[in-house]
């Protein structure tokens, strides 16, 4: 049994305002559902960032100020299926850059599929997948004499509160050397009419994605959640620029988790906070970076200005 999973679920459901960590969405079923989400017409984030990587590949390489001769490591945090990254890998490989791709992901399943697809589609690209926590892996890489380019795409940083994002940036800052760079993909602040459908699609895929975490708790921690007694509810505050996803109990109920030897009471209408998705602009991002040595060097956006990939450098 995954003791961290057990501990985090206990902690989240014991809180006054119940919450479940979004990092546990990604088991084998969750991985597959998220691929479906990324292909939904409402989920603009993936296509917007893919457009940047596809149509501005050379601009991205130029913004990173890469040189062909010195070896560098291209490290991706939360690599997933690598669809966007393959555009960059293809260009770097074609132009004979000397690098190794190091995808890091909490999902061993996602890494296994990614390695197979890279080996098939880009057989000359050197790949060294690493499963686990971002910062344990980055700490190992810090001792390397080689330059590191970190890819942190998909607005994954937006899943954190601003305080947690500052902590993450601080850890990234501590684990990089002067001159190392980050490509940070962030969703830009935009109207509710665009944002909300991305988290509440007509096909109900996002709903199934959220409810799958309850199923995972049932399977791995011997719980008795009835998923049809919870509804999926996203919210978005346009001024604040933060989207939040909740599961809401449809009735008063008691959930037992045998592996914890505990019960959890839910009132009708009580929420479980599942995910945060912060939207950014230059001002907000500079506030997140304020106490680090990371500086914004450049910024690439898609044609509709929905998404941005910021180039950060440790100075």
């Amino acid at each position: 049994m995954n003791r961290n999973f057990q501990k985090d679920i206990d902690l989240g459901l014991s809180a006054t305002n119940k919450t479940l960590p979004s990092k546990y969405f990604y088991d084998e079923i969750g991985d597959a559902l998220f691929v479906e989400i990324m292909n939904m017409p409402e989920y603009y984030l993936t296509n917007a960032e893919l457009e940047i990587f596809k149509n501005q590949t050379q601009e991205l390489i130029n913004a990173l100020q890469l040189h062909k001769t010195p070896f560098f490591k291209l490290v991706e945090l939360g690599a997933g299926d690598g669809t966007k990254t393959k555009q960059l890998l293809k260009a770097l490989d074609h132009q004979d850059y000397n690098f190794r791709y190091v995808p890091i992901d909490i999902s061993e399943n996602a890494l296994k599929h990614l390695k197979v697809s890279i080996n098939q589609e880009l057989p000359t690209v050197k790949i060294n997948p690493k499963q686990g926590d971002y910062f344990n892996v980055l700490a190992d890489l810090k001792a390397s004499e080689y330059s590191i380019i970190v890819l942190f795409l998909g607005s994954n940083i937006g899943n954190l509160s601003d305080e947690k994002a500052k902590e993450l940036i601080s850890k990234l800052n501590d684990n990089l050397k002067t001159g190392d760079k980050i490509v940070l993909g962030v969703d830009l602040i935009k109207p509710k009419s665009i944002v909300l459908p991305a988290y509440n699609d007509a096909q109900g895929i996002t709903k199934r994605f959220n409810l799958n975490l309850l199923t995972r708790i049932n399977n791995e921690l011997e719980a008795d959640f009835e998923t049809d007694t919870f509804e999926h509810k996203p919210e978005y505050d346009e001024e604040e620029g933060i989207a939040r996803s909740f599961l809401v109990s449809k009735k008063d109920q008691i959930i037992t988790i045998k592996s914890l030897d505990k019960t959890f009471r839910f009132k009708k209408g009580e929420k479980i906070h599942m995910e945060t998705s912060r939207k950014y602009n230059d001002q907000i991002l500079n506030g997140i970076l304020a106490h680090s040595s990371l500086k914004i060097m450049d910024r690439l956006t898609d044609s509709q200005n929905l998404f941005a990939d910021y180039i950060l450098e440790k100075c």
Side-chain angles (χ1 to χ4, degrees), residues 114-159:
L114 177 60
K115 185 174 183 182
V116 169
S117 69
I118 293 289
N119 288 340
Q120 289 175 345
E121 297 170 38
L122 299 164
T124 56
V125 170
K126 297 185 284 289
I127 179 170
N128 183 21
K130 293 187 178 291
Q131 191 267 334
D133 179 82
Y134 300 157
F135 299 107
N136 290 339
V137 178
L138 281 171
D140 292 339
L141 292 171
K142 186 180 182 182
S144 167
E145 61 186 288
Y146 304 113
S147 295
I148 294 174
I149 307 293
V150 174
L151 303 180
F152 195 35
L153 309 179
S155 206
N156 283 332
I157 193 171
N159 295 145

Side-chain angles (χ1 to χ4, degrees), residues 22 45 152-162 164-165 168 184-187 199 241-244 273 275-280 284-285 288 307:
S22 59
L45 290 87
F152 195 35
L153 309 179
S155 206
N156 283 332
I157 193 171
N159 295 145
L160 304 174
S161 68
D162 288 354
K164 290 291 183 184
L168 181 141
L184 181 65
V186 300
D187 195 11
Y199 302 97
I242 298 177
R244 295 178 176 88
H273 179 217
E275 188 175 19
T276 294
S277 186
R278 146 68 81 193
K279 313 304 172 187
Y280 286 87
I284 292 167
L285 183 55
I288 300 293
F307 199 95

